[in-house]
Amino acid sequence: MSPELYLSYPSALLIGLLGSTHCLGMCGGISASLSMALPVGSGFRFRQSLMLLAFNVGRIASYAVIAAGVALLSTSAANQWAELGGLLRTIAGLLLILMGLSMAQWWQGIRYVERIGAPVWAKLSPLTRRLLPVRHPGQALALGVLWGWLPCGLIYSTLGWAALQPTVGSAALTMVFFGLGTLPSMLATGYAAGWIRGLQGNQLFRKGTAVMLIVFGLWTLPLTAFMSH
């Protein structure tokens, strides 16, 4: 079955929306700090919006670059689909299930997966400190580009889906839609951090979104696709 039949950009957007409370734990603090570094005065809201937008554009751009690299490493999905399709689907589905279990606080096995990116982050994190405190949008953009490489189970879960796409471009675009799904919560963190933190701590909300991510994962597994025929 062609990956386009079960993987769509709206689905990636939805995963971003569902998992955005996890993003708040990983990126919410730095997003909120962009606002706190600005002097209050005339034009504060405009400058705040510009900084938050620049940071998130950089973050989403990194997701797209990483997805393109994953697609290239999986040797160009369209040509290799017959050989790699089942394996890639299994990995993508299991990662989504692990992410759901983590969000519901039932099992934190996704943390083992997040360690994969730790060596890269160890090299990049000192660069982020050099950009703080952020004073202008250029710094915010650069910080977002670096922050997009932060080891994150939700990102890795969606990258598994991106690897199922038939071209490098569509893999990158999948991650762009995922990033757009996380954008409302990330922007809201800058404007209303307290309210968002309350939502993040709501157990019913967390477990509901966790179950939906697990359902996505089960739907992605090859066995599920086979049974649907």
Side-chain angles (χ1 to χ4, degrees):
M1 177 168 52
S2 173
E4 292 91 344
L5 294 179
Y6 60 84
L7 175 61
S8 63
Y9 301 137
S11 296
L13 185 76
L14 184 57
I15 290 175
L17 287 168
L18 291 176
S20 57
T21 53
H22 179 79
C23 289
L24 293 177
M26 304 291 285
C27 305
I30 192 68
S31 182
S33 71
L34 295 176
S35 298
M36 291 186 290
L38 293 174
V40 178
S42 178
F44 172 78
R45 283 299 182 190
F46 174 76
R47 288 180 284 115
Q48 180 190 39
S49 300
L50 197 58
M51 296 280 262
L52 290 170
L53 183 61
F55 173 79
N56 284 287
V57 166
R59 180 176 62 88
I60 295 171
S62 282
Y63 296 165
V65 169
I66 295 169
V70 168
L72 287 170
L73 288 175
S74 65
T75 54
S76 209
N79 295 328
Q80 296 292 324
W81 179 248
E83 293 79 13
L84 298 179
L87 176 62
L88 291 174
R89 285 198 64 169
T90 299
I91 293 172
L94 291 176
L95 285 174
L96 284 169
I97 292 169
L98 286 176
M99 191 65 245
L101 292 173
S102 175
M103 285 191 63
Q105 299 179 343
W106 290 326
W107 188 53
Q108 298 300 324
I110 194 68
R111 291 179 180 174
Y112 296 102
V113 178
E114 290 177 343
R115 292 178 184 175
I116 295 172
V120 175
W121 183 242
K123 299 290 186 182
L124 295 178
S125 58
L127 299 178
T128 65
R129 291 191 287 271
R130 296 180 186 178
L131 293 169
L132 298 173
V134 176
R135 301 298 186 190
H136 56 78
Q139 281 181 294
L141 179 66
L143 184 62
V145 168
L146 293 172
W147 212 264
W149 293 82
L150 179 72
C152 172
L154 185 65
I155 295 172
Y156 296 163
S157 301
T158 316
L159 281 172
W161 268 39
L164 301 176
Q165 291 286 55
T167 67
V168 172
S170 57
L173 196 55
T174 296
M175 290 305 291
V176 169
F177 274 86
F178 162 77
L180 291 175
T182 67
L183 194 57
S185 291
M186 291 298 296
L187 291 176
T189 301
Y191 294 117
W195 182 82
I196 292 294
R197 289 292 180 186
L199 184 62
Q200 183 184 12
N202 186 297
Q203 290 298 311
L204 182 61
F205 179 82
R206 288 179 64 89
K207 289 182 179 180
T209 55
V211 168
M212 293 186 71
L213 282 175
I214 292 171
V215 169
F216 262 112
L218 291 172
W219 176 55
T220 304
L221 292 174
L223 179 61
T224 307
F226 175 78
M227 293 175 62
S228 66
H229 282 294

